[in-house]
Each structure stands twice: as C-alpha cells, then as structure tokens.
Amino acid sequence: METHHRVAVLCALPQEVEPIIEGLHGIERSSRYGTDLATGQLGEVSVVVCVGGMGKVAAGAAAQMLICEYHPDALIFSGIAGSLNPLLEIGDIVVGRSLVYLETNNDIIAECDPFLYTYASDARLSALACQVLDEQGYRRVPSLAEMDGTAAAVAATDNDPNRRYTLGTIATSDQFNTDPDVLEHTRRVWHGDCEEMEGAAAAHVCAKNRVPFLAVRAMSNRCGEAYEDLNRHQSDMTLAAQNAGAAVRAVLSALHVAQIHHA
C-alpha cells in the first residue's frame, strides 16, 4: 500500500511554524500568495507548512490555497491561543473536537455548503493527537462541555507536575477579547475551552473541500489579559508555540495513510 502522502500544516505566525519545520528533512522554502511556505519530509509523510497570517480571512485564504496548490490528504492547524478553561495553564493544549465562529450568525452561514453550524476535527486525527499527547506525558482534563458548575470553578493547581490537554471547543473571534462578560458568554454558550482568531475559518474551508482537518492549540495566556500585556510575556508564547509544534510533529511521525481519508 502507498504510504507517502502530503499533509498541510497551517499556522498564523512564524514562531508557530518553526518548531514544526525544525523536524523536517530536505526543507525548501518559498513565498507565494502572501504566505511563507516550507516543504519537507518527516518520516513517511511529505509535509507543506504555511505561515498564513492572523485573522479568519487570512486563515481561510491560506487553507484554500494549500488545498488547491498542494492537494493535501489532511490539513492541521497549529499554534497558540488564550485559555478559557480554568484547568488549562500556560503551555497546556486544546485538541479541537469542535470549532465555532463567534460574532457571527451561524444559522445563516449553515444555509450554504457544508451546511454546518460548527466545524469538527477529523475523529481519527483527533484520537491520534490525544494518543501522542498521552505518550508525551500530558494528562487529559475535562473540557468545559464535560464539566458541571462545580468542576468549572476549579482551577489547575500550581503543584500539579503534569502538562494538561483537553479534547474540546476552540472559539474563533474577530477580536482579541478581554471583556469578562464576553468571555463568560463564550464559556457558557459555546463551552469554549480557548479563544483564537483563525481556526474555525480553516476548518470551514476544509469541510467545504472535504479535506480531513485537525486543530491543535497550546495556551499562551489566559483570556482577559490585554494584547499589549501578552507581548511582554514572550517566553509564554514561545513555550506554547513549542508545545503545539511538538504535538504536531508527533502526530506527523505517527501518521500513516490508513488514518487519512477523504469523505
């Protein structure tokens, strides 16, 4: 059976792609359509990695470009995000079981192909991501959708030696939200475990093209902190980018063709 296939990895920022690119062999770099690209090989997997830029439009455009130009068998979105789940600290990870747009009338969007209100990571790719995180020593914790009111009030303790991850919901916003009421609405209504600005758009494009999708986000901050303050904590952003990148590299290393399929 043919075991060589191409996987596209999309990130918003250069610091998010470098931990992935450093695991590739035979790297070739290029720029096109306003994105920076690198191709290479990780084991049996042929990989193209893209810096698509920040925001939903940039992510959607880059995802469609990758699909049209490279015909990937799967697309992985990787990078950093702000934590909304009280159990997730800096460097912990959300594997996106589902992704949802905020500030959007999802009922109207769902009137068009692919006719979805929210977007899902491929079940087999999600299971593989959880498996490699277990192997890397992460401890799985409940998503907000799995918590009751009591559990939701319990935060991770400083003396917990384990990194954590959850299989949960990634909320995609047009804004870097800091308003406590807005953030609480995202937790309560959408069960958002983290918030970022690109994932649902990439997932939407993949669903429209019937390309299996996976989202992996590592926490760089707790939601509520101002963007200007976040930029003062570059070490947290670097840690998060490294953790997300290491998880994606492990997924690519473990991947084989039976776990990638088109609908």
Side-chain angles (χ1 to χ4, degrees), residues 90-102:
I90 303 302
D92 293 342
I93 287 177
V94 176
V95 176
R97 182 199 301 272
S98 64
L99 298 95
V100 61
Y101 289 123
L102 304 180

Side-chain angles (χ1 to χ4, degrees), residues 156-218:
T157 58
D158 291 337
N159 60 3
D160 184 348
N162 297 305
R163 294 172 293 180
R164 293 156 292 270
Y165 80 93
T166 195
L167 179 63
T169 300
I170 295 173
T172 299
S173 176
D174 283 319
Q175 305 177 70
F176 191 94
N177 289 309
T178 58
D179 186 321
D181 291 337
V182 171
L183 298 175
E184 182 55 31
H185 180 269
T186 301
R187 293 186 185 96
R188 179 172 49 82
V189 174
W190 297 109
H191 304 297
D193 292 289
C194 67
E195 184 181 278
E196 39 86 291
M197 300 179 70
E198 297 88 21
H204 187 167
V205 169
C206 286
K208 195 173 183 70
N209 287 273
R210 279 52 173 181
V211 173
F213 174 83
L214 173 67
V216 177
R217 288 289 199 177

